[in-house]
Amino acid sequence: MHQHEMSARSVFDGVVFMPSQIKLLEDFKRDMHPDKVNLAGREYVGEHGHTTWLPLVRKIKQQIATDPTLTPEYPPNLGIPEFTRRATELALGKDSPAIVESRVFGVQTVGCTGAVHLGAELLRSCYCSSSSWSGPILLSSPCDDSLAGIFKAAGIEDVQYYRFWDAESNGVCVENMVRDLENAPEQCLVVLFASGHRPTGAELSQEDWKRVAEVMVKRQLFPFFLMSAQGLCSGSLEQDAWPVRHCVSLGLELLCAQSFSYNFGLYGERVGHLLCVLKQNLLAVQSQAEKIVQTLWSCPPMEGARVVATVLSNPAHLVDWQESVKAIAERCMLIRERLRERLRLLGGPWHWDHIIKPGGLYCCFGLNTQQVEFLVQKKHIYLLPNGCLNVSAINSRNLDYVAESIHQALSSKL
């Protein structure tokens, strides 16, 4: 496992994703070049070049602000009940066996980061009969560097990695992933991206997920899913949640950290949710979650969760929102197709089929350090150090410039 870990890490050695994004944003703001492009941002960027509210979300926020029946009181520690119920149904489906059999509970959290933190604390205190359990936990290589920090802050020091991204093929190497999971210690925790892996945007097929789930069952591994952009990867809420639902159908216990920042455009509202699917001790774990929440944030913020609950509980709003999410996913896919066509026309020995695979906002070109530096320093195109970028920031005004710049980075002797 350690040999695999070293080989996997070497591809992205030294990359620290979150601090890099912050520095890149600061450099971008200081850059006065007229053609500068920020492809390292985290938010969805529309054709106009900046983030905006979804029309439905803006409408609901206005309704909430003028609703005389709402009072400014603290919500329950575990969040707004209607929100947690609807978020659970969105992830698992209303007819999920876990819901029918009352084997699930949800906690409203302060963003997806809060959900991961709470999940880590729960695992530390409840997952293993030994109170001294501290891992191991397996993260994908690569992943946001902040993930390891969250688990370590919760006292889980033993962080290892399974191979996910293959730089040579510019895609997932499921063979390596499955092999590393087969060699993982039994009952360890495995963090999985249900859809839209960050930062690569790479996706597993349903057949690949079946292989992964089979290993999880055989090795008694505990899945901790991250679902930060449900619906934005394939355009289908059901398809993006399929890996989670499949594992539940196999009888696996699991955690799932959900975010509503991307699919609702509520970036500053910190609307997250931790979904817990268990076989036993549900009330005891729920009680422990409430104790932990009281030490982390006491109670979650209200407004964003009210927006989500209002939309998900109203059939007409739900259809409207789903259409908006699908439109965003389709636009990202169209950008990928246009970018591939521009790069193909520019010539060269490179193949670009990997960039049109659905992956939501993120896409990885696998550029080396020198090529990324060339794009930043010479072309004023800002992207993550490993060549991953946010495709939504590409629009009709900068598409040709971005394609030509990438072509030059690959063609030049740097």
Side-chain angles (χ1 to χ4, degrees):
M1 184 60 165
H2 294 292
Q3 182 179 359
H4 291 165
E5 173 188 342
M6 291 300 293
S7 63
R9 291 291 285 174
S10 64
V11 177
F12 294 87
D13 189 31
V15 175
V16 182
F17 291 104
M18 290 309 296
S20 296
Q21 284 183 310
I22 294 170
K23 183 180 184 304
L24 284 168
L25 180 59
E26 293 173 349
D27 292 345
F28 177 79
K29 289 179 177 178
R30 288 194 294 265
D31 193 335
M32 294 292 106
H33 195 276
D35 295 328
K36 68 177 183 177
V37 184
N38 180 22
L39 302 181
R42 303 180 67 190
E43 300 89 354
Y44 170 76
V45 181
E47 177 65 23
H48 40 69
H50 55 84
T51 59
T52 59
W53 295 106
L54 294 179
L56 175 63
V57 169
R58 183 186 291 275
K59 173 184 173 182
I60 299 300
K61 287 175 73 71
Q62 291 172 345
Q63 290 177 355
I64 290 173
T66 57
D67 188 343
T69 66
L70 295 177
T71 56
E73 58 189 13
Y74 286 119
N77 294 117
L78 298 185
I80 302 171
E82 183 67 8
F83 167 79
T84 60
R85 183 165 75 91
R86 297 298 180 180
T88 298
E89 292 175 349
L90 190 69
L92 300 182
K94 291 183 178 180
D95 299 326
S96 169
I99 296 177
V100 173
E101 297 164 11
S102 299
R103 295 189 290 106
V104 59
F105 74 90
V107 182
Q108 183 186 337
T109 63
V110 183
C112 194
T113 300
V116 176
H117 195 151
L118 175 59
E121 295 277 3
L122 274 175
L123 289 162
R124 184 80 171 88
S125 60
C126 300
Y127 175 45
C128 186
S129 58
S130 170
S131 60
S132 61
W133 183 82
S134 59
I137 176 173
L138 270 64
L139 304 178
S140 68
S141 176
C143 66
D144 280 351
D145 192 72
S146 59
L147 276 176
I150 294 171
F151 286 101
K152 289 180 179 180
I156 303 175
E157 294 288 342
D158 189 358
V159 177
Q160 301 177 23
Y161 295 85
Y162 61 86
R163 289 171 292 177
F164 182 82
W165 178 257
D166 179 56
E168 292 186 5
S169 65
N170 283 318
V172 182
C173 183
V174 71
E175 299 296 336
N176 287 338
M177 180 180 178
V178 169
R179 190 175 299 116
D180 286 351
L181 294 182
E182 287 176 337
N183 293 329
E186 284 194 355
Q187 297 186 337
C188 74
L189 176 74
V190 183
V191 176
L192 301 161
F193 285 79
S195 55
H197 177 268
R198 284 192 58 193
T200 68
E203 291 274 285
L204 293 174
S205 68
Q206 288 190 3
E207 290 304 313
D208 291 338
W209 275 118
K210 288 177 182 178
R211 292 182 62 189
V212 169
E214 183 181 350
V215 176
M216 302 287 287
V217 172
K218 182 173 67 175
R219 299 290 297 166
Q220 300 181 56
L221 306 179
F222 191 101
F224 193 152
F225 280 100
L226 305 184
M227 191 155 56
S228 59
Q230 185 179 354
L232 291 185
C233 297
S234 66
S236 165
L237 297 168
E238 291 74 20
Q239 185 171 329
D240 285 358
W242 190 89
V244 180
R245 298 180 183 186
H246 179 63
C247 285
V248 170
S249 72
L250 296 178
L252 282 167
E253 294 185 303
L254 59 82
L255 298 180
C256 179
Q258 298 169 258
S259 171
F260 295 90
S261 296
Y262 292 96
N263 51 18
F264 273 81
L266 293 168
Y267 299 104
E269 306 286 349
R270 311 308 296 135
V271 187
H273 185 253
L274 179 67
L275 177 64
C276 307
V277 179
L278 305 173
K279 292 180 180 177
Q280 56 188 0
N281 300 325
L282 192 76
L283 293 178
V285 176
Q286 189 170 353
S287 176
Q288 183 66 17
E290 189 163 10
K291 292 178 181 178
I292 295 171
V293 164
Q294 289 172 348
T295 68
L296 293 177
W297 52 73
S298 179
C299 59
M302 292 276 283
E303 185 174 329
R306 276 178 173 161
V307 171
V308 174
T310 300
V311 171
L312 296 184
S313 60
N314 182 302
H317 291 336
L318 181 59
V319 170
D320 191 346
W321 172 67
Q322 286 178 300
E323 289 176 351
S324 295
V325 169
K326 185 178 180 181
I328 291 173
E330 289 176 346
R331 176 177 173 265
C332 287
M333 195 65 220
L334 182 61
I335 292 169
R336 292 167 180 268
E337 292 171 354
R338 287 176 174 172
L339 182 59
R340 181 188 68 160
E341 183 62 15
R342 296 294 197 282
L343 290 167
R344 188 187 66 80
L345 291 174
L346 288 169
W350 308 284
H351 299 283
W352 300 109
D353 289 347
H354 66 279
I355 71 174
I356 63 168
K357 294 179 180 178
L361 272 59
Y362 298 99
C363 181
C364 194
F365 279 74
L367 302 174
N368 62 36
T369 303
Q370 291 77 20
Q371 291 163 345
V372 171
E373 288 180 356
F374 171 82
L375 289 170
V376 174
Q377 300 298 329
K378 301 297 184 181
K379 294 297 180 179
H380 306 272
I381 294 177
Y382 294 78
L383 64 166
L384 293 174
N386 54 5
C388 296
L389 53 88
N390 181 339
V391 297
S392 73
I394 299 174
N395 53 48
S396 57
R397 296 184 301 279
N398 61 33
L399 174 62
D400 288 334
Y401 180 68
V402 169
E404 290 165 3
S405 298
I406 292 174
H407 180 77
Q408 289 180 31
L410 291 167
S411 303
S412 302
K413 294 182 178 180
L414 305 177

